[in-house]
Amino acid sequence: MPTHSAGVADVRSPIHLAPNAAKTFHDLSSLALERDDADRWLAEGPRADDLRHAARQVCALAFSGDHPDARRDVHHVLHRLYDLHLARPVPGMTRNQESVELLRLRKQIEQAWQAWEHNRIGDVPENLTPDAIGGAIKAMWRQHAGHNHPVFEFMRTEADRAQIIKYFTTDYALNMRFYDLIVLSLLGIDEDVRMEVAGNFWDEMGQGNAARTHVRLYRDLLDYLGIEDNPAAFVDALGWEGLGGYNLLLYFALNRREYFRSIGALAITELSDPDQYAKLIEGCRRVGIGTDRPSVLDYYSEHVEVDALHGDGWIDNVIVPVLRRYPDQARAVLEGAAMRLNTSKDYWDWQLAEMRLLGKSAPDAVATL
């Protein structure tokens, strides 16, 4: 089973990027997304072909050439493509949710990216019974290099206030989108697993208390810290590592064939949060965040309490019943868990590096985007 987040070591030939391929990929994808009808705009001249050729080269550089800037560019475009399906409904929205060309671009990116992700899964147990899956997921989690990641011990014992605030700004995107992920995980599922997933949704909704929804609790924390709620800026500040973890969960949720990997990935999310967030809360109190108003940390303290139950509940009441119905999907569940572990470690490695960099460059500064 995987114990690291790096890809399988190999020797690759250098990838030669055609002149302006990265710029072509960025410009054409951005302009198409901004048009009311991307398909009509891309059909003019060679734009559609140019975009496909540029995307192929940039994806090769990102996932075969191990080029972090290219990987970030690809993940940022993929994030925008996924957002077409999750954007808040407002007047004047584009028609691009149904765009054939943008769907083709999305599939082109997903194919290259998923090949890379699968290449670093490593070995997973074979032929597990449904009753053995919980132990296998927990063993995979505990043996992974991301388990007890040092970023959380750093925040508990060393990080200053600005560095911890930096963590909150980078953690924004997925925290604010988790409601949608739970909603998507409810679609089309079997009746015997609905109650567990609905319970997760009800907790996200503050159990009916508008002031206690998880989105509202996170916004309360941002307000307390004087951080402007600016989703676009928070996403733009992420490296490929943060975007990759975010995109993985959306990829699973938006592709019905990935359902079994999705429930494995969500199990890891529920299992890993409590211990990590307990360390974060301790670090916050050490630097004075929430000491005058403890309720501003309720987003994280609630996850410490609730996710301790959700982890086992998700395994026992979602994964096990599903695998009793489809026992041949145990491997897919474990693959989803492994992929979530790898992308989480990528993200935490990046967060720790960003916080340490902030401490070196401006030890007394207030964290900004």
Side-chain angles (χ1 to χ4, degrees):
M1 63 186 62
T3 57
H4 57 83
S5 64
V8 176
D10 61 0
V11 177
R12 298 186 176 100
S13 300
I15 293 176
H16 301 289
L17 194 64
N20 299 321
K23 185 177 188 303
T24 298
F25 172 73
H26 175 272
D27 291 350
L28 287 179
S29 61
S30 297
L31 290 169
L33 282 160
E34 291 164 5
R35 292 298 187 275
D36 180 62
D37 188 336
D39 285 343
R40 178 179 296 180
W41 185 80
L42 285 168
E44 296 176 6
R47 289 171 179 160
D49 286 341
D50 288 349
L51 178 57
R52 282 195 292 274
H53 294 322
R56 187 179 303 115
Q57 288 211 310
V58 175
C59 284
L61 194 65
F63 301 116
S64 297
D66 200 26
H67 193 290
D69 290 341
R71 196 175 300 155
R72 189 194 179 282
D73 290 344
V74 168
H75 271 301
H76 194 269
V77 170
L78 186 58
H79 169 270
R80 294 188 66 187
L81 292 169
Y82 286 151
D83 205 45
L84 292 172
H85 303 274
L86 300 168
R88 182 178 299 174
V90 295
M93 299 186 74
T94 71
R95 303 175 187 180
N96 292 333
Q97 183 179 357
E98 301 87 16
S99 165
V100 173
E101 289 296 342
L102 292 180
L103 179 60
R104 182 178 285 119
L105 175 63
R106 172 182 147 186
K107 294 303 179 184
Q108 186 177 0
I109 293 171
E110 287 176 343
Q111 184 177 12
W113 166 45
Q114 285 299 302
W116 182 77
E117 290 288 0
H118 279 269
N119 193 44
R120 62 189 193 136
I121 287 175
D123 297 328
V124 297
E126 299 282 354
N127 303 317
L128 287 177
T129 65
D131 290 334
I133 195 71
I137 290 173
K138 290 178 181 178
M140 180 180 287
W141 166 49
R142 293 190 182 106
Q143 294 172 26
H144 195 273
H147 183 243
N148 285 329
H149 195 281
V151 70
F152 297 99
E153 185 65 17
F154 174 74
M155 287 191 288
R156 187 182 76 85
T157 60
E158 297 181 46
D160 61 25
R161 184 184 179 95
Q163 289 168 317
I164 292 178
I165 290 174
K166 176 70 174 179
Y167 173 87
F168 293 140
T169 62
T170 59
D171 215 32
Y172 174 96
L174 185 55
N175 290 344
M176 299 298 275
R177 187 60 83 188
F178 203 75
Y179 160 88
D180 297 310
L181 290 170
I182 294 297
V183 170
L184 288 169
S185 71
L186 278 162
L187 300 179
I189 61 176
D190 295 304
E191 291 183 17
D192 57 350
V193 302
R194 288 178 185 171
M195 291 303 294
E196 181 66 31
V197 185
N200 278 250
F201 171 76
W202 192 234
D203 286 336
E204 284 291 317
M205 292 303 296
Q207 299 186 350
N209 183 345
R212 301 291 301 173
T213 68
H214 289 183
V215 167
R216 181 66 264 165
L217 292 178
Y218 205 78
R219 288 201 171 109
D220 287 345
L221 174 60
L222 296 182
D223 290 344
Y224 168 82
L225 295 170
I227 299 172
E228 181 184 357
D229 188 353
N230 188 336
F234 292 143
V235 169
D236 286 344
L238 291 173
W240 70 263
E241 301 88 345
L243 291 168
Y246 177 100
N247 285 343
L248 182 74
L249 293 177
L250 289 178
Y251 167 77
F252 286 154
L254 292 171
N255 289 281
R256 300 303 291 165
R257 69 183 181 278
E258 297 290 354
Y259 172 72
F260 303 101
R261 291 190 179 96
S262 177
I263 59 177
L266 288 172
I268 292 297
T269 301
E270 302 290 1
L271 286 169
S272 61
D273 281 351
D275 292 344
Q276 295 166 169
Y277 286 171
K279 293 179 180 180
L280 170 60
I281 291 169
E282 190 174 342
C284 287
R285 291 171 178 158
R286 178 179 54 79
V287 299
I289 296 175
T291 51
D292 57 332
R293 205 171 112 203
S295 64
V296 300
L297 295 175
D298 281 359
Y299 174 87
Y300 289 101
S301 61
E302 186 162 311
H303 279 80
V304 171
E305 299 167 7
V306 172
D307 284 358
L309 302 174
H310 282 176
D312 286 332
W314 193 267
I315 291 171
D316 295 339
N317 302 321
V318 176
I319 293 177
V320 170
V322 165
L323 291 185
R324 284 184 178 142
R325 189 172 292 109
Y326 309 108
D328 61 332
Q329 294 302 308
R331 179 179 177 85
V333 170
L334 292 175
E335 287 176 348
M339 293 164 80
R340 176 63 178 155
L341 286 166
N342 287 341
T343 57
S344 294
K345 183 179 183 298
D346 293 336
Y347 175 50
W348 295 329
D349 287 347
W350 175 81
Q351 281 185 315
L352 182 58
E354 288 287 299
M355 283 190 278
R356 290 192 184 280
L357 183 63
L358 179 65
K360 290 179 180 178
S361 61
D364 299 316
V366 174
T368 57
L369 290 178

